[in-house]
Amino acid sequence: MTKPFDSSHLPDVFRGSVARKAGLITASQLRGSSVRRLFQDVYTRADTEVTHELRCRGAALLAPPEAVLTGRSAATVQGVELAKPLDPVEMVVPEKQRFGPIVGIKVRRTEIKPEESRPWNGIRIARKTRTAVDLLLRLSPRKSGWVRRLRIGVPDLDQYMRANRLSDLHLNPEFYGRRNRGIRLARNALRLSDPRAESPPESEVRVVLAAGGIAAIPQVEVFSREGHFIARLDLGDKEHKVAIEYDGQWHNTPKQRAYDRKRRRRAEAEGWRFVIVTAEDLVNDFKGIVEAVWRARRGAVSPLTVPRPGQEGVRMARV
């Protein structure tokens, strides 16, 4: 009986060709169950947890020294987990550099200044301000509509700005001092971004409302006439006293529903009206969300359903 191959002497990520040349593993063992392939000629031990950071280090083994890890990949390595483990590793290389295509690695060729990155695992990683720019430049202008792209980019930027305590004052020079392809969309996203947002869906709702001509402020605090704190709203239109709240699945527990009812009743007593947006609404009813808020602005207060053929609409309700 053949003894199983012991891979414990191997690094957690390695080039197969290099390990073979060093006599650490054979070609047949590379095809066995003791190792797992991450990219062409890049492997990890089977007992190693595959994270996005691990895959970034694996991609660095293939990339030229001038390559810069950026976008969601750089953000994740920096501690803001915007990329899932198996998402493509995002890199930029100088325009004249030839690298790729490689399955699992997304490469853009564009200008990047030396001061915009620092050394990392044999390549380079974008500094925070450049990472913020590339979170938006990564969205191809050729794909889908501008609102859809903003609904992807703004939540990423909101989370990244929040985690790194960045403001538009930090980022304006980066966004307005370059001519990269897609920079106009990136500037629009920066204008819409707000680090006060506490979840990606809340950011998406804000983008949808902005596209419909409605400005909403994240995390609005409501106080009683006597000055007592009552509630904090996901999004608020202070002028018209309209609250827009996203109810994800975590709101479906009896305890959370009871808490939401009490909180919203207290805010209603101070003249606020609520539009409640669900995950289904956010995916399927762009127009319905905007219409519901405009109705609330005009003073509608009774429960209603915004027409949407074959589906339940956005709820605007007194709760």
Side-chain angles (χ1 to χ4, degrees):
M1 182 176 178
T2 305
K3 184 179 179 180
F5 174 64
D6 180 7
S7 63
S8 61
H9 62 289
L10 294 169
D12 60 352
V13 61
F14 61 94
R15 291 281 300 266
S17 58
V18 173
R20 284 179 59 191
K21 188 175 181 179
L24 299 177
I25 196 168
T26 67
S28 62
Q29 288 165 344
L30 282 174
R31 295 191 294 269
S33 60
S34 296
V35 297
R36 181 183 305 164
R37 194 173 88 156
L38 301 177
F39 307 102
Q40 183 178 358
D41 195 36
V42 176
Y43 297 82
T44 184
R45 298 192 307 268
D47 61 354
T48 301
E49 179 186 4
V50 177
T51 64
H52 193 75
E53 189 270 345
L54 179 80
R55 295 182 70 249
C56 289
R57 288 196 284 119
L61 296 175
L62 298 173
E66 302 85 1
V68 179
L69 191 75
T70 192
R72 282 180 164 177
S73 294
T76 300
V77 169
Q78 294 164 2
V80 187
E81 295 189 8
L82 298 181
K84 297 176 182 177
L86 300 182
D87 283 350
V89 173
E90 298 177 17
M91 293 182 174
V92 296
V93 296
E95 292 173 331
K96 295 182 180 180
Q97 178 71 51
R98 289 290 171 260
F99 171 56
I102 296 174
V103 175
I105 303 177
K106 183 178 179 180
V107 180
R108 286 192 302 113
R109 291 178 178 82
T110 187
E111 179 188 4
I112 185 161
K113 300 173 184 177
E115 63 270 22
E116 293 179 321
S117 65
R118 59 177 174 82
W120 182 83
N121 281 272
I123 58 170
R124 302 185 69 81
I125 187 170
R127 296 189 185 275
K128 291 179 180 179
T129 52
R130 175 68 197 222
T131 299
V133 173
D134 284 327
L135 284 173
L136 302 171
L137 294 181
R138 62 185 289 274
L139 304 173
S140 171
R142 296 180 180 178
K143 293 182 179 178
S144 66
W146 65 270
V147 175
R148 180 175 175 80
R149 283 178 274 136
L150 288 175
R151 286 175 62 181
I152 297 171
V154 170
D156 281 352
L157 189 56
D158 282 354
Q159 289 186 75
Y160 192 72
M161 291 172 69
R162 181 183 180 87
N164 290 290
R165 299 183 179 180
L166 295 172
S167 69
D168 54 357
L169 294 178
H170 296 105
L171 298 179
N172 275 334
E174 297 294 327
F175 280 76
Y176 287 88
R178 60 179 71 246
R179 298 180 178 179
N180 302 73
R181 184 168 177 266
I183 195 63
R184 286 187 179 181
L185 183 74
R187 289 170 186 156
N188 287 334
L190 179 62
R191 285 192 287 269
L192 287 175
S193 293
D194 194 317
R196 291 173 292 182
E198 292 192 345
S199 75
E202 290 175 21
S203 299
E204 278 196 68
V205 172
R206 200 175 70 250
V207 171
V208 168
L209 295 177
I214 300 168
I217 301 171
Q219 304 305 314
V220 171
E221 292 186 340
V222 178
F223 294 87
S224 70
R225 294 172 183 84
E226 295 77 24
H228 301 302
F229 175 79
I230 290 177
R232 192 160 54 123
L233 311 172
D234 291 348
L235 294 164
D237 175 350
K238 288 185 176 180
E239 181 181 355
H240 298 90
K241 282 196 167 183
V242 176
I244 306 98
E245 299 214 302
Y246 176 79
D247 278 8
Q249 290 190 355
W250 63 90
H251 286 267
N252 290 334
T253 65
K255 182 178 179 180
Q256 185 63 43
R257 285 198 298 268
Y259 172 78
D260 286 339
R261 282 195 299 271
K262 290 179 181 179
R263 182 174 59 87
R264 289 166 183 165
R265 282 171 180 162
R266 290 195 298 266
E268 283 189 322
E270 300 299 323
W272 285 82
R273 293 178 293 276
F274 280 82
V275 174
I276 312 302
V277 180
T278 67
E280 181 184 357
D281 300 324
L282 194 52
V283 171
N284 298 316
D285 202 8
F286 173 105
K287 183 178 179 181
I289 294 171
V290 173
E291 287 181 352
V293 176
W294 278 112
R295 289 179 181 177
R297 277 181 155 198
R298 292 193 294 267
V301 294
S302 59
L304 59 86
T305 298
V306 175
R308 187 171 65 187
Q311 298 177 338
E312 182 183 2
V314 177
R315 293 175 292 131
M316 183 173 72
R318 296 181 66 91
V319 289

